[in-house]
Amino acid sequence: MGLKKYILGYLIFSACFSFDTWGFSLDSILSLQISDSTKARKIFTHFKTHKNLNLAQQQALLTQCISLLKEKNHPSELFAGIYKQMALLKLKEGNYQRTLYYFEKEKALRLRLENIVKLGHVYNNLGVTYAHSGLYNEALDNQLKALKIKEKTQDFAGLAGCYHNIALVYDYQKKYSKAISNYKKSLSIKLKVGDQYPIANTYTNLGIIYANLNEFSKGIDYLNRAKDLYLDLPDSLNLCIVYSNLAWIDVKRKDHLSYVDNITEALQINKVIESTGMKASIASVMAEHFEITNKKDSALFYYQKAALLFKETGSSEDLLRCYKHISKIHQNNNNFKQAYAYTQKFITTKDSLDQKQNQLMLTNAQEKYESEQKQQEIEIKNLELEKAKTLHYFFLIIGLIFSILLLTLGLSLYSRMKNNKILEHKNQIISGQKNAIEKQQKNVIESVQYAQKIQRSFFSTEEQLKAHFSDSFIFHKPKEMLSGDFFWLSKVQNKYIFAAVDCTGHGIPGAMMSILGNRLLNEIVNIQNILDPGKIIEKLHTGIVNDLKQTSDQNSQDGMDLFLCIHDPIEKTLKYSGARNKAFLIEKNKLISLNTTLKSVGGKRKNETSTYRKFETHKLTLNPKTKLYMFTDGITDQFGGPDRKKLGSKQFKTLLMDNHMHSFDSQKKNIIQYIKLWQSNHEQIDDMLLIGIQFT
């Protein structure tokens, strides 16, 4: 069971109210003969001071403010405050994607205004929102930025909040040692400040972590400290949370008497506060108790009750856990139809959750990129208009000077000096605009770098590969900042499954395909437990066709080529399959080509009547020190050399044979150097990926 934790706190915001009537005329303000910025300020003042606005009315007012100020792009406190309030409205709706969008807009303005205190608030709010979205790396990045600002400004309450939020992110990632360290830093500050409520929060979360680590005595100690504080405050909801967690620990310790006392207290408190979330958590604890005591019918009843409640509250992770337990109980009761039904519910819910997170990450990066591009286009148009005006003024001045020369030489000299000063001022304006455009271009590059960071978080790394195969390496050189090639690795049932994948295109289109491929491989192997290479690729093909709606050869034909293996270290065997990608095996100083099916994954051919596409599985027995090299065609298709030819398969085989006796670190270094010399000053034409592995 996932123990009940506190939601990420310390979100810094101003209140938004929710009542029924307008109470003023928006049209009357818009019709006033005043500047747009003054109109926006009046509307925003009404938004902040009136409590008779519902959610839709609040959003309408803020949208009007943004519309009035957008054309001028004011780097003002007013504009930053409007973006902040719009973000908080979207957070209230549960729309994390748009919440992040508006907080990012606020951040950009805070950076320009150099308001370090409020910038710290923005980073904190971004970190909280990313954590709610399940994007923990981004959450940590923003919380750490907020932490530095809180330290610099000596905001001790804010500092404690940052440590608490950072600890929660590590907690959710099950990095418990880091979580405990940050909770204790937060607790140390809170004890000095003396605010009892935040102290109780931290005691509770420390108790839960120690319980998850099976250090039950420490867990009970911290939970009892929290209980004593909540009794004094009083705080019924958090007191109920503490009792339910103490009951869960009792289930783990098989202390039936203590369990009855604690679960009874939790039930009695929740009768008063009527919290749906607590109903779900308590039902889940009771279900696990009945499951451990082998009372299957009662366990099934409470798991089903908890599942309904978790679905109502939107707690997807807890809902998945309930579905998994219900399926297991039905399977043990030989009720395979119901077991299958709940397994399907588990897969559908998990897939929906993964898709939302993947879509959120890509959409954030794309929206930021498109916004910067649009702003750059506006700046370029403004610059062109300014240049045209300057040119017009230039000819006008020349004519004026010529006329004045006819009158008097002295007056002409005076006029020329004056006009030269005007031209110099115009040139300074143009130079400033040029610098602004260069800054916008830099922001665009930073947006793509941000998307690159998101994409890399999905890819398996060389460090992960070396954890399973000490003699190995990965060489990955994208053509652009974002890549369509990626390496994927997983371990299931003591078998290693890995693949070298080449998606259609490179850059942003290739990156989007790579995230789709990564998600489908995780689902097929880690959730559906399919461990046949050919079947995995067949499922991957079907998933891409369905997700990209490739039901007709008139639709998108995007897809991917790949080589996929399953290594059984116990049986010393290698099963493999592929889609238009092959690999090389070097065994006893001989190179063997592992050929695969000459069909790509994805797309629909004219002669195909269904989405099914056959991919063959091959199997071979491995000898000690056999080496495998998987690669994408970006290496063999690279032009270079004195005659500007492709590197080619033959020359690549020779390169591998010349180096395979060296250590894998030396192999990687030599191959990179060779490709660099071969390419010379020729443009890289595609993403490059090479993986080398030696089997023991």
Side-chain angles (χ1 to χ4, degrees), residues 299-312:
L300 188 60
F301 171 80
Y302 281 104
Y303 274 130
Q304 289 172 332
K305 179 179 179 180
L308 289 172
L309 293 166
F310 283 134
K311 189 173 183 180
E312 182 182 341

Side-chain angles (χ1 to χ4, degrees), residues 59-115:
Q59 187 165 314
L61 290 179
L62 293 177
T63 301
Q64 185 65 61
C65 290
I66 292 171
S67 177
L68 288 168
L69 295 174
K70 197 167 188 178
E71 292 300 321
K72 297 179 175 58
N73 197 22
H74 285 265
S76 64
E77 285 291 338
L78 171 64
F79 209 174
I82 290 167
Y83 276 139
K84 175 181 179 179
Q85 292 301 331
M86 184 64 92
L88 293 169
L89 284 183
K90 293 301 177 183
L91 182 65
K92 194 172 183 179
E93 291 177 358
N95 188 341
Y96 299 132
Q97 179 178 315
R98 299 303 292 172
T99 301
L100 290 170
Y101 172 80
Y102 285 112
F103 274 142
E104 287 287 354
K105 287 285 189 181
E106 183 197 358
K107 184 184 77 174
L109 290 177
R110 297 293 186 201
L111 286 167
R112 292 170 65 183
L113 293 165
E114 297 181 352
N115 188 327

